[in-house]
């Protein structure tokens, strides 16, 4: 059985998908690094911090399946670019978190 080789187009697709997955891991890591600052600024105890982390990860998980279905219906590339753009824009709106207007 001959080994199959990936062409450059397939390699690019794999690289983009891996980069997208890495942003999710990086985002969760940033949240975990921010836990001491969250505890201090929100005067949150261990239980509240667990709720914050669980809610953050749960919101990602709950949007994953409907997002996949929307990608099937409207096109994966279009939805991927829209999601990546939204993720970047929301991350740039209030990176300092000083105002509760956007943070909640």
């Amino acid at each position: 059985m001959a080994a199959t080789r990936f062409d450059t187009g397939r390699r690019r697709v794999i690289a983009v998908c891996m980069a997208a997955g890495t942003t999710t891991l990086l985002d969760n890591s940033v949240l975990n690094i921010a836990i001491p600052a969250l505890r201090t600024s929100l005067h949150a105890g261990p239980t509240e911090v667990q709720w914050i982390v669980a809610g953050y990860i749960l919101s990602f998980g709950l949007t994953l399946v409907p997002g996949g279905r929307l990608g099937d219906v409207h096109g994966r590339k279009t939805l991927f670019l829209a999601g990546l753009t939204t993720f970047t824009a929301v991350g740039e709106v209030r990176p300092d978190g000083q105002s509760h207007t956007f943070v909640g």
Side-chain angles (χ1 to χ4, degrees):
M1 189 171 218
T4 58
R5 298 182 65 135
F6 286 123
D7 60 354
T8 56
R10 288 185 181 184
R11 287 181 189 254
R12 286 187 200 141
V13 169
I14 290 173
V16 168
C17 290
M18 289 175 64
T22 303
T23 59
T24 303
L25 293 173
L26 181 65
D27 201 35
N28 284 328
S29 297
V30 168
L31 176 65
N32 286 323
I33 291 169
I35 286 175
L38 285 171
R39 290 186 73 180
T40 304
S41 65
L42 298 175
H43 307 291
T47 305
E48 290 87 8
V49 170
Q50 286 178 350
W51 275 106
I52 291 169
V53 173
Y56 191 80
I57 294 171
L58 183 64
S59 64
F60 170 75
L62 288 174
T63 57
L64 188 63
V65 173
R69 178 67 182 133
L70 287 172
D72 290 341
V73 172
H74 297 291
R76 291 180 183 96
K77 182 178 179 180
T78 304
L79 198 66
F80 176 76
L81 291 175
L84 196 60
T85 303
T86 303
F87 177 80
T88 304
V90 169
E92 292 295 322
V93 169
R94 268 298 180 194
D96 59 356
Q98 295 297 318
S99 172
H100 62 80
T101 306
F102 292 107
V103 176

PDB file of all heavy atoms in Angstrom, residues 24 57-71 79:
ATOM      1  N   THR A  24      -8.511  28.481  20.942  1.00  0.00           N
ATOM      2  CA  THR A  24      -9.408  28.074  22.021  1.00  0.00           C
ATOM      3  C   THR A  24      -8.612  27.674  23.257  1.00  0.00           C
ATOM      4  O   THR A  24      -8.930  28.098  24.375  1.00  0.00           O
ATOM      5  CB  THR A  24     -10.284  26.889  21.561  1.00  0.00           C
ATOM      6  OG1 THR A  24     -10.988  27.281  20.397  1.00  0.00           O
ATOM      7  CG2 THR A  24     -11.247  26.472  22.634  1.00  0.00           C
ATOM      8  N   ILE A  57     -16.305  27.971  29.717  1.00  0.00           N
ATOM      9  CA  ILE A  57     -16.065  26.777  28.906  1.00  0.00           C
ATOM     10  C   ILE A  57     -17.388  26.192  28.407  1.00  0.00           C
ATOM     11  O   ILE A  57     -17.479  25.724  27.268  1.00  0.00           O
ATOM     12  CB  ILE A  57     -15.248  25.751  29.709  1.00  0.00           C
ATOM     13  CG1 ILE A  57     -13.852  26.325  29.980  1.00  0.00           C
ATOM     14  CG2 ILE A  57     -15.132  24.433  28.972  1.00  0.00           C
ATOM     15  CD1 ILE A  57     -13.016  25.530  30.941  1.00  0.00           C
ATOM     16  N   LEU A  58     -18.423  26.243  29.238  1.00  0.00           N
ATOM     17  CA  LEU A  58     -19.732  25.724  28.830  1.00  0.00           C
ATOM     18  C   LEU A  58     -20.316  26.521  27.669  1.00  0.00           C
ATOM     19  O   LEU A  58     -20.903  25.956  26.747  1.00  0.00           O
ATOM     20  CB  LEU A  58     -20.698  25.753  30.012  1.00  0.00           C
ATOM     21  CG  LEU A  58     -22.090  25.187  29.772  1.00  0.00           C
ATOM     22  CD1 LEU A  58     -21.997  23.699  29.450  1.00  0.00           C
ATOM     23  CD2 LEU A  58     -22.958  25.407  30.987  1.00  0.00           C
ATOM     24  N   SER A  59     -20.118  27.832  27.700  1.00  0.00           N
ATOM     25  CA  SER A  59     -20.632  28.646  26.592  1.00  0.00           C
ATOM     26  C   SER A  59     -19.948  28.275  25.271  1.00  0.00           C
ATOM     27  O   SER A  59     -20.584  28.266  24.217  1.00  0.00           O
ATOM     28  CB  SER A  59     -20.460  30.134  26.882  1.00  0.00           C
ATOM     29  OG  SER A  59     -19.089  30.467  26.968  1.00  0.00           O
ATOM     30  N   PHE A  60     -18.679  27.939  25.334  1.00  0.00           N
ATOM     31  CA  PHE A  60     -17.996  27.472  24.124  1.00  0.00           C
ATOM     32  C   PHE A  60     -18.578  26.145  23.655  1.00  0.00           C
ATOM     33  O   PHE A  60     -18.875  25.964  22.475  1.00  0.00           O
ATOM     34  CB  PHE A  60     -16.493  27.327  24.360  1.00  0.00           C
ATOM     35  CG  PHE A  60     -15.784  26.633  23.238  1.00  0.00           C
ATOM     36  CD1 PHE A  60     -15.549  27.283  22.050  1.00  0.00           C
ATOM     37  CD2 PHE A  60     -15.391  25.311  23.362  1.00  0.00           C
ATOM     38  CE1 PHE A  60     -14.919  26.644  20.994  1.00  0.00           C
ATOM     39  CE2 PHE A  60     -14.754  24.661  22.318  1.00  0.00           C
ATOM     40  CZ  PHE A  60     -14.519  25.333  21.136  1.00  0.00           C
ATOM     41  N   GLY A  61     -18.757  25.220  24.587  1.00  0.00           N
ATOM     42  CA  GLY A  61     -19.280  23.912  24.233  1.00  0.00           C
ATOM     43  C   GLY A  61     -20.693  23.960  23.680  1.00  0.00           C
ATOM     44  O   GLY A  61     -21.044  23.216  22.765  1.00  0.00           O
ATOM     45  N   LEU A  62     -21.513  24.842  24.230  1.00  0.00           N
ATOM     46  CA  LEU A  62     -22.898  24.939  23.771  1.00  0.00           C
ATOM     47  C   LEU A  62     -23.026  25.572  22.391  1.00  0.00           C
ATOM     48  O   LEU A  62     -24.010  25.348  21.697  1.00  0.00           O
ATOM     49  CB  LEU A  62     -23.743  25.723  24.777  1.00  0.00           C
ATOM     50  CG  LEU A  62     -24.037  24.999  26.083  1.00  0.00           C
ATOM     51  CD1 LEU A  62     -24.755  25.924  27.051  1.00  0.00           C
ATOM     52  CD2 LEU A  62     -24.838  23.739  25.836  1.00  0.00           C
ATOM     53  N   THR A  63     -22.065  26.356  21.997  1.00  0.00           N
ATOM     54  CA  THR A  63     -22.116  26.961  20.665  1.00  0.00           C
ATOM     55  C   THR A  63     -21.413  26.111  19.611  1.00  0.00           C
ATOM     56  O   THR A  63     -21.544  26.377  18.421  1.00  0.00           O
ATOM     57  CB  THR A  63     -21.484  28.366  20.670  1.00  0.00           C
ATOM     58  OG1 THR A  63     -20.135  28.274  21.134  1.00  0.00           O
ATOM     59  CG2 THR A  63     -22.268  29.309  21.552  1.00  0.00           C
ATOM     60  N   LEU A  64     -20.716  25.075  20.040  1.00  0.00           N
ATOM     61  CA  LEU A  64     -19.958  24.254  19.100  1.00  0.00           C
ATOM     62  C   LEU A  64     -20.859  23.463  18.150  1.00  0.00           C
ATOM     63  O   LEU A  64     -20.667  23.495  16.930  1.00  0.00           O
ATOM     64  CB  LEU A  64     -19.043  23.303  19.875  1.00  0.00           C
ATOM     65  CG  LEU A  64     -18.036  22.511  19.063  1.00  0.00           C
ATOM     66  CD1 LEU A  64     -17.061  23.464  18.386  1.00  0.00           C
ATOM     67  CD2 LEU A  64     -17.274  21.567  19.978  1.00  0.00           C
ATOM     68  N   VAL A  65     -21.860  22.781  18.679  1.00  0.00           N
ATOM     69  CA  VAL A  65     -22.733  21.957  17.836  1.00  0.00           C
ATOM     70  C   VAL A  65     -23.605  22.813  16.910  1.00  0.00           C
ATOM     71  O   VAL A  65     -23.639  22.570  15.701  1.00  0.00           O
ATOM     72  CB  VAL A  65     -23.577  20.999  18.701  1.00  0.00           C
ATOM     73  CG1 VAL A  65     -24.605  20.268  17.857  1.00  0.00           C
ATOM     74  CG2 VAL A  65     -22.674  20.018  19.417  1.00  0.00           C
ATOM     75  N   PRO A  66     -24.301  23.843  17.430  1.00  0.00           N
ATOM     76  CA  PRO A  66     -25.059  24.688  16.495  1.00  0.00           C
ATOM     77  C   PRO A  66     -24.160  25.380  15.472  1.00  0.00           C
ATOM     78  O   PRO A  66     -24.550  25.566  14.318  1.00  0.00           O
ATOM     79  CB  PRO A  66     -25.740  25.719  17.390  1.00  0.00           C
ATOM     80  CG  PRO A  66     -25.786  25.101  18.727  1.00  0.00           C
ATOM     81  CD  PRO A  66     -24.571  24.224  18.809  1.00  0.00           C
ATOM     82  N   GLY A  67     -22.946  25.737  15.888  1.00  0.00           N
ATOM     83  CA  GLY A  67     -22.016  26.348  14.939  1.00  0.00           C
ATOM     84  C   GLY A  67     -21.623  25.393  13.836  1.00  0.00           C
ATOM     85  O   GLY A  67     -21.505  25.775  12.674  1.00  0.00           O
ATOM     86  N   GLY A  68     -21.444  24.121  14.177  1.00  0.00           N
ATOM     87  CA  GLY A  68     -21.136  23.119  13.160  1.00  0.00           C
ATOM     88  C   GLY A  68     -22.285  22.934  12.187  1.00  0.00           C
ATOM     89  O   GLY A  68     -22.086  22.804  10.982  1.00  0.00           O
ATOM     90  N   ARG A  69     -23.496  22.939  12.713  1.00  0.00           N
ATOM     91  CA  ARG A  69     -24.672  22.792  11.845  1.00  0.00           C
ATOM     92  C   ARG A  69     -24.820  24.006  10.935  1.00  0.00           C
ATOM     93  O   ARG A  69     -25.128  23.876   9.744  1.00  0.00           O
ATOM     94  CB  ARG A  69     -25.930  22.613  12.702  1.00  0.00           C
ATOM     95  CG  ARG A  69     -27.193  22.490  11.908  1.00  0.00           C
ATOM     96  CD  ARG A  69     -27.220  21.211  11.090  1.00  0.00           C
ATOM     97  NE  ARG A  69     -28.443  21.169  10.294  1.00  0.00           N
ATOM     98  CZ  ARG A  69     -28.480  20.872   9.009  1.00  0.00           C
ATOM     99  NH1 ARG A  69     -27.371  20.553   8.376  1.00  0.00           N
ATOM    100  NH2 ARG A  69     -29.603  20.871   8.356  1.00  0.00           N
ATOM    101  N   LEU A  70     -24.626  25.197  11.487  1.00  0.00           N
ATOM    102  CA  LEU A  70     -24.683  26.405  10.652  1.00  0.00           C
ATOM    103  C   LEU A  70     -23.603  26.376   9.581  1.00  0.00           C
ATOM    104  O   LEU A  70     -23.814  26.846   8.461  1.00  0.00           O
ATOM    105  CB  LEU A  70     -24.547  27.660  11.516  1.00  0.00           C
ATOM    106  CG  LEU A  70     -25.755  28.021  12.351  1.00  0.00           C
ATOM    107  CD1 LEU A  70     -25.411  29.161  13.303  1.00  0.00           C
ATOM    108  CD2 LEU A  70     -26.925  28.404  11.468  1.00  0.00           C
ATOM    109  N   GLY A  71     -22.439  25.831   9.910  1.00  0.00           N
ATOM    110  CA  GLY A  71     -21.380  25.688   8.917  1.00  0.00           C
ATOM    111  C   GLY A  71     -21.774  24.746   7.796  1.00  0.00           C
ATOM    112  O   GLY A  71     -21.438  24.966   6.637  1.00  0.00           O
ATOM    113  N   LEU A  79     -18.611  30.714   7.701  1.00  0.00           N
ATOM    114  CA  LEU A  79     -18.898  30.739   9.128  1.00  0.00           C
ATOM    115  C   LEU A  79     -17.613  30.771   9.957  1.00  0.00           C
ATOM    116  O   LEU A  79     -17.551  31.442  10.992  1.00  0.00           O
ATOM    117  CB  LEU A  79     -19.753  29.542   9.519  1.00  0.00           C
ATOM    118  CG  LEU A  79     -20.459  29.709  10.850  1.00  0.00           C
ATOM    119  CD1 LEU A  79     -21.494  30.823  10.763  1.00  0.00           C
ATOM    120  CD2 LEU A  79     -21.105  28.428  11.281  1.00  0.00           C
TER     121      LEU A  79
END
